[in-house]
Amino acid sequence: MIQKVKVDLGERSYNILVGENLLSGNDISGLKNIVKDRKCHIISDDNVAPLYLNSVKILLKPAGAITSESILPAGEQNKTLESIAGFYSDMVKAGLDRKSLIVALGGGVPGDMAGFAAATYMRGIKFIQIPTSLLAMVDSSVGGKTGVDLPEGKNLIGAFLQPEMVIIDTTMLKTLPERELRCGLAEIVKYGVIIDDKLFSRLEKNIDKLNSMDLNFYASIIAECCKVKARIVSQDEKESGIRAVLNYGHTFGHAVETVSDYNVGHGEGVSIGMCMAADMAVSLKLMEPEAAQRQEDLLLALKLPTRISGYDPEKIIAAMSRDKKSENGTPVFIVPRRIGMVSIEKNIRREDIIQAIRGRCD
Ligand SMILES: NC(=O)c1ccc[n+]([C@@H]2O[C@H](COP(=O)([O-])OP(=O)(O)OC[C@H]3O[C@@H](n4cnc5c(N)ncnc54)[C@H](O)[C@@H]3O)[C@@H](O)[C@H]2O)c1
Ligand SMILES: [Zn+2]
């Protein structure tokens, strides 16, 4: 069964299709209308391309696409303007014009870059997302944020561009390394805590299905998460308000990732960061300790880290003040109030932040 989630953004609205085996076989409704005999440039990485590039070409062909591709070495270190420059020249060589289409095939790294290339090539062309990592399926492929990193920091250059369609084939999760899968699960737990207590309870009750890769269950959870993100993005496309709740766990998490020199993965950082934020909420009497414990128990059941060892808490605090999400040097915190609700807080005292960080550092 294919589930369809609509992201409602007026003229920029689009559908997210979620299901098993979407790439092989099924005639994806609406795809032909988007592709319409255009030149399609597929952007992917060298882990994903050998596995799925051919299937994507086969999918696009009946819609009349003439395909070309840029394949970059996998990894965040290649999410640079230099890689984008390489894509532009591949696209010029392949004869892409303003009517052409970019297809993002991969995790968040190729996804963010393909989107940025689409936002800027010839002042902007259309693109489709085919996310292949769990994180990309529930988060980065939906919402229209695109971009690249600078040596000075992650995601400092970017543009907003909504895709024409997002195609999520959960079968692709079978080849995703387990650690990457767990990182995606951290973002799924995040959606439950920020806005959806029913989703959170469903996760608690179905740990076995999550840990045993029940793809049918994944399809339904991914669709739920896309609905949550779609709802938030429809209310606040350019992050002037409510969209900030998606950063729950990320202010602490980014700092942890940075200080570990990225040995701690993004989702792992988010998992630890959500625990720090919850500890802070409990000590400020903004959340009951039982709710914080439920969050920690779920993260542990999904084999995610909730503490870090071997790093100086002071360095984490320093890294946090450099985060681009801080306003005038004071970090903005998304603070959990109960499972399914958070608030945005700007005036948290430094002592309380330090205490929350220290409490999770061994
Ligand atoms: N645009 C947004 O709103 C948004 C939101 C969250 C994160 N992001 C960005 O997303 C990026 C992280 O995304 P990610 O974790 O997907 O990173 P990624 O693209 O580097 O993928 C992680 C790893 O998994 C591999 N992989 C992906 N799918 C696979 C599959 N099906 N089979 C085998 N291997 C596979 C990749 O090759 C890579 O090695 C970061 O750059 C982050 O800034 C963007
Ligand atoms: Zn994240």
Side-chain angles (χ1 to χ4, degrees):
M1 194 188 75
I2 301 180
Q3 301 184 64
K4 198 189 268 188
V5 178
K6 185 173 179 194
V7 185
D8 208 344
L9 288 166
E11 280 182 352
R12 295 184 307 289
S13 298
Y14 54 96
N15 285 322
I16 304 167
L17 305 179
V18 190
E20 276 182 74
N21 297 312
L22 281 193
L23 281 195
S24 54
N26 288 308
D27 181 19
I28 295 180
S29 79
L31 185 65
K32 213 170 200 158
N33 257 344
I34 295 168
V35 173
K36 277 193 234 149
D37 302 330
R38 295 168 200 263
K39 286 193 170 150
C40 292
H41 194 72
I42 304 166
I43 291 179
S44 190
D45 75 24
D46 62 0
N47 288 334
V48 174
L51 297 166
Y52 302 112
L53 182 62
N54 258 338
S55 320
V56 170
K57 286 184 174 172
I58 292 168
L59 179 80
L60 294 171
K61 208 166 177 209
I66 301 159
T67 55
S68 52
E69 66 262 354
S70 296
I71 311 298
L72 78 155
E76 183 79 31
Q77 69 278 14
N78 300 305
K79 195 175 150 185
T80 61
L81 285 168
E82 290 74 31
S83 303
I84 297 283
F87 298 163
Y88 294 148
S89 79
D90 291 347
M91 284 152 63
V92 172
K93 272 184 215 137
L96 264 79
D97 60 22
R98 291 173 54 198
K99 292 256 154 58
S100 304
L101 193 73
I102 290 183
V103 178
L105 172 66
V109 169
D112 278 12
M113 295 175 76
F116 185 70
T120 47
Y121 184 74
M122 297 193 172
R123 298 195 184 83
I125 63 174
K126 296 187 169 175
F127 88 119
I128 316 181
Q129 287 271 16
I130 307 183
T132 64
S133 69
L134 183 56
L135 180 135
M137 292 177 185
V138 296
D139 192 356
S140 62
S141 68
V142 178
K145 280 192 186 176
T146 76
V148 293
D149 302 334
L150 288 182
E152 289 80 2
K154 282 179 70 176
N155 297 323
L156 290 181
I157 304 296
F160 281 98
L161 180 68
Q162 301 295 342
E164 298 302 302
M165 174 179 262
V166 183
I167 301 170
I168 299 179
D169 183 343
T170 53
T171 325
M172 290 171 153
L173 293 174
K174 279 189 188 161
T175 56
L176 186 68
E178 151 127 26
R179 192 172 170 199
E180 300 295 344
L181 185 88
R182 308 256 160 233
C183 281
L185 285 170
E187 303 280 359
I188 292 179
V189 172
K190 176 191 82 176
Y191 286 122
V193 179
I194 61 176
I195 213 161
D196 195 338
D197 58 337
K198 287 203 185 79
L199 170 66
F200 191 94
S201 306
R202 259 186 99 199
L203 299 172
E204 286 180 315
K205 288 189 193 111
N206 291 284
I207 301 282
D208 290 349
K209 289 186 180 162
L210 290 165
N211 284 336
S212 68
M213 287 289 298
D214 178 331
L215 291 182
N216 209 10
F217 185 69
Y218 268 88
S220 95
I221 288 293
I222 290 166
E224 282 304 309
C225 292
C226 289
K227 272 184 211 155
V228 172
K229 184 150 184 192
R231 209 163 70 219
I232 294 173
V233 169
S234 314
Q235 286 173 49
D236 178 21
E237 188 179 1
K238 305 246 162 111
E239 196 169 323
S240 43
I242 175 143
R243 189 166 175 168
V245 302
L246 293 168
N247 297 325
Y248 173 52
H250 282 61
T251 309
F252 286 114
H254 279 155
V256 168
E257 269 183 271
T258 311
V259 167
S260 78
D261 235 349
Y262 298 98
N263 286 317
V264 173
H266 177 71
E268 293 164 348
V270 169
S271 176
I272 296 165
M274 289 193 289
C275 291
M276 289 173 173
D279 289 352
M280 197 169 75
V282 170
S283 77
L284 294 171
K285 305 217 174 338
L286 296 171
M287 182 166 77
E288 298 294 332
E290 293 74 22
Q293 193 59 50
R294 261 180 89 192
Q295 174 185 269
E296 179 158 7
D297 289 347
L298 179 57
L299 292 167
L300 288 170
L302 297 172
K303 302 181 189 150
L304 281 156
T306 57
R307 316 183 57 80
I308 46 163
S309 55
Y311 299 105
D312 179 358
E314 284 303 321
K315 287 201 173 135
I316 301 179
I317 297 162
M320 219 159 56
S321 340
R322 289 192 302 269
D323 194 304
K324 75 171 162 31
K325 287 186 186 81
S326 56
E327 280 179 13
N328 310 321
T330 321
V332 178
F333 282 97
I334 311 303
V335 176
R337 310 302 294 265
R338 56 176 164 78
I339 299 299
M341 190 182 125
V342 289
S343 63
I344 302 176
E345 305 288 338
K346 290 185 181 154
N347 296 313
I348 303 231
R349 294 181 321 159
R350 197 177 143 83
E351 300 88 274
D352 295 317
I353 300 168
I354 295 174
Q355 194 191 11
I357 293 173
R358 287 226 171 96
R360 292 278 163 183
C361 289
D362 299 320

